[in-house]
Amino acid sequence: MHEKRNIQIIEWEDLDKRKFYSFGVFMTMTIRATVYPATLIRTRLQVQRGTSLYNGTFDAFFKILRSEGVRGLYRGFMVNTFTLISGQAYITTYELVRKHVSQYSQDNTIKSLVAGGSASLVAQTITVPIDIVSQQLMMQGQGQHLSRFRINLESGKSKKVFGQTRNIIGQIFAADGLRGFYRGYVASLLTYIPNSAVWWPFYHFYAEQLSNLAPSDCPHLLLQGMAGPLAAATASSITNPMDVVRARVQVEGRNSVIETFRQLIKEEGGWGLTKGLSARIISSTPTAIVMVVGYETLKRVSLRPELVDSRHW
């Protein structure tokens, strides 16, 4: 039996796929560029020991800006743009799995949870090697002592970006072989599958609750834009401990998730599990707003023409 919902969910079969993918690439790129500085700060905070370099999110922001300039906040960004591929894989998997699960259950929570987890599994398989390289690039400059690898930051302008990238890739391969590009893969899955699986049900839950409280003529897109950050903050808080472990495994070249977790607790106690949480929430809030507003708008402009008049926004 179908659930009666205040906010209609546009499903995969309702979309014009050509429009969906064309606009989707632009949307994903916009999100990446918006939140990348917060992602870089979060990574440096999670990897540092105690407060050896930064005292928090805003302290890190101003120190990086002062010593490395705006470019310092975008170290590794060009490499990170390759995650556009995983972004498209994520939304495709999410929509297709939702459609498949709907054959067995009409419960939106179940559909969202299974589809979100599955989408994250596919996306992380593509993303982890890109993250490994971009994280090492993030550590260069002021925070390069936090990295296992070093690059020549004084290299010529013409080979600045790609020369450094090749340098890092070569060092990773020399140190760990091909498996080095999937270091922390299990930790990533343990972080992002639960995060994605939790985010979507909470997103729909908050959107429904807000729609029950709001006036009937309140735009649904506004309610969804508010629900996204609430879901992101909830999911980030739940999964942050594993995200700290993931960052250390990947940047420091560790092999054991459990041993990394134990050492973190031993050195910094339970407080260590919250490292980078504020930066993560700060980065996830604009991400969630842009993603939700962008994604819901993307789905609406991608609706098949015959369905446009049947939807109330």
Side-chain angles (χ1 to χ4, degrees):
M1 185 173 177
H2 288 263
E3 292 179 82
K4 177 164 178 54
R5 305 185 64 80
N6 295 327
I7 296 181
Q8 292 172 296
I9 298 173
I10 300 173
E11 302 289 2
W12 182 248
E13 58 270 18
D14 302 330
L15 300 174
D16 177 329
K17 308 305 186 294
R18 182 179 56 81
K19 288 183 180 179
F20 183 71
Y21 284 113
S22 298
F23 292 125
V25 171
F26 175 76
M27 183 198 78
T28 305
M29 187 66 180
T30 301
I31 293 173
R32 302 283 183 196
T34 302
V35 305
Y36 191 80
T39 302
L40 180 143
I41 290 169
R42 182 192 82 203
T43 302
R44 289 196 183 182
L45 286 172
Q46 289 177 335
V47 173
Q48 74 171 351
R49 290 288 182 269
T51 56
S52 59
L53 185 56
Y54 308 116
N55 291 317
T57 301
F58 293 105
D59 180 59
F61 174 79
F62 290 116
K63 280 183 177 176
I64 294 170
L65 199 59
R66 187 164 55 245
S67 65
E68 303 176 51
V70 174
R71 290 181 64 179
L73 294 170
Y74 280 90
R75 288 191 184 280
F77 179 68
M78 290 301 293
V79 173
N80 194 260
T81 58
F82 285 100
T83 57
L84 284 172
I85 301 168
S86 66
Q88 298 308 299
Y90 180 94
I91 57 177
T92 301
T93 304
Y94 178 77
E95 294 294 344
L96 288 175
V97 172
R98 269 188 69 91
K99 179 181 178 182
H100 180 72
V101 174
S102 66
Q103 298 174 19
Y104 305 96
S105 173
Q106 290 302 320
D107 186 303
N108 187 63
T109 300
I110 293 175
K111 288 195 289 185
S112 299
L113 189 133
V114 175
S118 301
S120 190
L121 172 62
V122 172
Q124 284 306 305
T125 301
I126 300 170
T127 299
V128 167
I130 301 169
D131 274 348
I132 294 288
V133 177
S134 66
Q135 283 170 348
Q136 295 298 336
L137 290 168
M138 286 177 187
M139 292 300 110
Q140 304 304 315
Q142 190 183 43
Q144 70 174 310
H145 70 280
L146 302 174
S147 171
R148 288 193 300 155
F149 305 111
R150 299 287 183 271
I151 58 178
N152 179 13
L153 294 171
E154 304 303 322
S155 57
K157 293 280 185 184
S158 63
K159 53 182 287 187
K160 188 81 171 176
V161 175
F162 295 107
Q164 291 178 0
T165 302
R166 284 198 304 271
N167 191 328
I168 287 293
I169 291 173
Q171 290 186 58
I172 293 172
F173 184 77
D176 303 317
L178 288 175
R179 64 177 295 190
F181 294 97
Y182 272 93
R183 187 177 294 280
Y185 178 61
V186 172
S188 290
L189 295 183
L190 292 175
T191 301
Y192 290 112
I193 289 179
N195 189 81
S196 182
V198 167
W199 191 92
W200 287 100
F202 270 112
Y203 164 61
H204 291 303
F205 170 77
Y206 286 132
E208 281 297 306
Q209 297 308 307
L210 288 169
S211 81
N212 291 333
L213 297 172
S216 58
D217 59 347
C218 183
H220 287 173
L221 191 60
L222 175 62
L223 300 176
Q224 290 167 320
M226 295 168 63
L230 291 173
T234 303
S236 294
S237 299
I238 292 171
T239 61
N240 196 71
M242 198 62 233
D243 194 42
V244 177
V245 174
R246 174 198 62 81
R248 293 201 170 191
V249 167
Q250 291 182 334
V251 174
E252 297 178 353
R254 296 174 176 274
N255 291 314
S256 172
V257 170
I258 295 174
E259 186 55 39
T260 303
F261 178 81
R262 285 176 178 165
Q263 185 172 350
L264 177 64
I265 294 295
K266 180 180 178 181
E267 291 179 354
E268 306 188 46
W271 185 252
L273 299 175
T274 68
K275 297 188 78 168
L277 178 58
S278 61
R280 195 167 179 222
I281 290 176
I282 288 169
S283 69
S284 68
T285 296
T287 302
I289 294 172
V290 173
M291 191 186 91
V292 167
V293 173
Y295 188 60
E296 295 295 347
T297 301
L298 168 65
K299 291 174 79 173
R300 288 166 196 184
V301 300
S302 302
L303 262 177
R304 290 190 285 116
E306 65 271 22
L307 297 175
V308 172
D309 294 333
S310 69
R311 293 293 193 273
H312 167 63
W313 311 125

